[in-house]
Amino acid sequence: MAFLGSRVQHSEGRLGRHGLHPQRFSEKTRSERAAHFDEANARIRYSANTPDAPLLPGHQDRLSVFLQLAGLVHAQPERFPAGHTVHIPTSGVRDSETWAFEVKGTETIRLPQGEVTALHLRRLPRKEFDTTVDVWLAPVLGHLPVRMRLQEANGNVADQRLITP
């Protein structure tokens, strides 16, 4: 599979009592666009000239959502049995919507350094032709993501796996 061009995403924020609090999320392809998380006014403001969105409790950006998910699972793993669905409001650089992750269960997966047991979650499709996002969180690493797999509707796949030294 050949990817044309490049995309750089960046997330900035702080750690608070209830996890991650994004403050700015940016994405650069040809030009940079950003989402600014304005906690004082409970709004997300977009540089792409799209309407503001309400900043909801637990709101994340498209990068921080995976680490917030890891933190939620690590804090109370018993609350995430197979079949459970986790809803997290998530913002890109143009809009915001709630992402739903279905807990698929525990699996043993192969990484470059060997096998690891991980909790598999899948982001449920938001619309027709949506990208499928699978993430595996490893309990032995504090439930941090050890694999992410993105599959486009046309069949193109990006599969990222943790490599440790």
Side-chain angles (χ1 to χ4, degrees):
M1 169 172 81
F3 289 101
L4 300 176
S6 67
R7 177 192 311 187
V8 175
Q9 294 179 322
H10 184 82
S11 177
E12 298 174 27
R14 62 182 180 77
L15 186 59
R17 185 173 171 201
H18 299 289
L20 300 176
H21 295 268
Q23 294 173 312
R24 183 178 189 274
F25 172 69
S26 64
E27 180 175 279
K28 184 174 182 179
T29 49
R30 289 185 204 101
S31 62
E32 183 177 71
R33 292 201 165 108
H36 302 272
F37 293 74
D38 179 357
E39 288 186 25
N41 295 302
R43 306 296 302 161
I44 302 173
R45 304 189 190 289
Y46 301 102
S47 67
N49 292 326
T50 56
D52 291 357
L55 180 59
L56 304 173
H59 222 123
Q60 299 300 312
D61 63 50
R62 290 183 176 201
L63 291 177
S64 67
V65 67
F66 298 105
L67 294 177
Q68 179 74 355
L69 188 59
L72 293 171
V73 172
H74 190 67
Q76 295 181 307
E78 69 281 358
R79 293 188 58 212
F80 298 90
H84 179 71
T85 302
V86 184
H87 296 87
I88 301 177
T90 305
S91 184
V93 294
R94 291 188 176 128
D95 61 8
S96 178
E97 56 195 346
T98 297
W99 285 11
F101 291 89
E102 180 183 11
V103 180
K104 304 303 278 182
T106 301
E107 302 174 5
T108 300
I109 61 171
R110 179 168 292 286
L111 299 175
Q113 65 272 13
E115 291 186 343
V116 65
T117 300
L119 184 63
H120 178 192
L121 295 100
R122 175 172 291 153
R123 187 193 67 189
L124 300 175
R126 300 162 296 165
K127 57 190 172 217
E128 189 176 11
F129 306 114
D130 197 11
T131 301
T132 300
V133 180
D134 290 281
V135 61
W136 286 262
L137 308 175
V140 297
L141 296 174
H143 287 94
L144 289 177
V146 292
R147 181 180 179 197
M148 288 185 63
R149 184 177 188 276
L150 291 81
Q151 182 170 348
E152 301 289 336
N154 66 6
N156 288 345
V157 173
D159 196 347
Q160 304 169 329
R161 297 168 189 244
L162 177 69
I163 298 175
T164 59

